[in-house]
């Protein structure tokens, strides 16, 4: 009935975009992001019994000009979401800095800034999910450079590297490949 039980609140709370849950619920978190409430569930999902045999192999090189270059010649363009949202972010930050601390207008301006950051985060998250799913279902053996991204963001390309969200992409690619029965390998970059 699009309702969820939240302990401490009492009774059932109306919810939207509920999905069916395949597994045992271990933990429930209620999170507030940009004046919206989200329910996060940690679920123990059973492993699939049928595992497909590995298909073709591919190596992936992440970059800044192109998001990823595959060893079979295919390239994934870098959407540069952060670069595209620079003006909106600057405008939202300016609105916050022009208001008085503790005022109602400041709360509104901060909420507007949070919405811009949330949209930017959602765009990046959606992009990495789509691309990692496409690669995980197409290839059986995937090799990626084992980059030390935390060290790389100390340089002058830090903003571009963080905008490309390589860590998120590699993490998502890893668990999706394993769920399809493929092999995911991190290779020493040297």
């Amino acid at each position: 009935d699009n309702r969820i039980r939240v302990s401490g609140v009492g009774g059932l709370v109306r919810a939207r975009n509920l999905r069916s849950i395949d597994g045992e619920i271990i933990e429930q978190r209620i999170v507030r992001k940009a004046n919206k409430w989200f329910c996060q569930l940690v679920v123990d999902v059973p492993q699939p019994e049928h595992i497909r045999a590995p298909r073709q192999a591919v190596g992936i090189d992440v970059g800044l000009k192109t998001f990823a270059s595959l060893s079979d010649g295919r390239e994934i363009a870098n959407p540069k979401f952060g670069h595209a949202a620079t003006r909106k972010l600057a405008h939202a930050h300016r609105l916050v800095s022009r208001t008085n601390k503790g005022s109602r207008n400041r709360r509104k301006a901060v909420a507007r800034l949070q919405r811009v950051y949330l949209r930017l985060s959602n765009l990046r998250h959606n992009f990495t999910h789509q691309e990692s799913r496409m690669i995980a279902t197409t290839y059986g053996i995937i090799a990626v450079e084992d980059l030390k991204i935390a060290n790389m963001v100390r340089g002058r390309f830090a903003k571009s590297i963080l905008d490309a969200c390589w860590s998120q992409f590699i993490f998502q690619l890893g668990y999706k490949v394993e769920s399809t029965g493929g092999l995911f390998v991190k290779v020493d970059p040297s």
Side-chain angles (χ1 to χ4, degrees):
D1 260 355
N2 289 334
R3 296 183 186 277
I4 193 163
R5 184 175 305 281
V6 180
S7 64
V9 175
L12 297 172
V13 178
R14 283 185 298 153
R16 288 186 288 167
N17 300 331
L18 291 176
R19 292 191 227 166
S20 62
I21 299 167
D22 301 330
E24 179 186 352
I25 297 174
I26 297 173
E27 186 179 344
Q28 175 186 14
R29 291 184 216 127
I30 306 296
V31 181
R32 185 177 182 187
K33 292 181 185 176
N35 289 337
K36 292 183 181 180
W37 292 93
F38 298 92
C39 178
Q40 297 177 343
L41 299 174
V42 178
V43 180
D44 185 19
V45 180
Q47 291 295 324
E49 293 181 17
H50 66 287
I51 295 177
R52 292 183 280 184
R55 296 161 302 281
Q56 59 189 123
V58 70
I60 300 175
D61 181 33
V62 292
L64 294 178
K65 287 187 178 179
T66 59
F67 178 74
S69 298
L70 281 61
S71 61
D72 63 359
R74 187 170 171 273
E75 291 185 346
I76 300 171
N78 191 351
K80 298 181 181 178
F81 293 118
H83 182 71
T86 302
R87 291 181 66 201
K88 286 184 181 180
L89 283 170
H91 183 259
H93 275 288
R94 233 181 352 261
L95 289 177
V96 171
S97 67
R98 288 179 180 168
T99 56
N100 296 326
K101 289 186 178 178
S103 68
R104 188 172 183 186
N105 283 336
R106 186 172 185 98
R107 284 195 300 272
K108 288 181 191 176
V110 168
R112 183 176 297 140
L113 178 63
Q114 288 173 344
R115 283 194 302 271
V116 174
Y117 273 114
L118 182 63
R119 173 157 171 72
L120 184 59
S121 172
N122 289 342
L123 286 170
R124 288 177 179 151
H125 205 68
N126 185 43
F127 172 74
T128 55
H129 268 302
Q130 288 181 0
E131 294 302 329
S132 61
R133 172 56 64 199
M134 186 278 306
I135 292 171
T137 55
T138 306
Y139 302 99
I141 301 171
I142 298 173
V144 181
E145 284 182 300
D146 188 15
L147 299 173
K148 306 291 183 235
I149 297 171
N151 295 339
M152 294 173 72
V153 296
R154 294 180 184 158
R156 63 181 222 193
F157 296 113
K159 192 172 182 181
S160 299
I161 291 170
L162 291 173
D163 187 29
C165 52
W166 296 338
S167 296
Q168 186 178 31
F169 172 71
I170 292 169
F171 171 74
Q172 291 172 357
L173 187 61
Y175 77 78
K176 286 177 183 172
V177 168
E178 290 173 6
S179 71
T180 61
L183 180 63
F184 182 73
V185 181
K186 288 188 175 181
V187 181
D188 186 30
S190 58

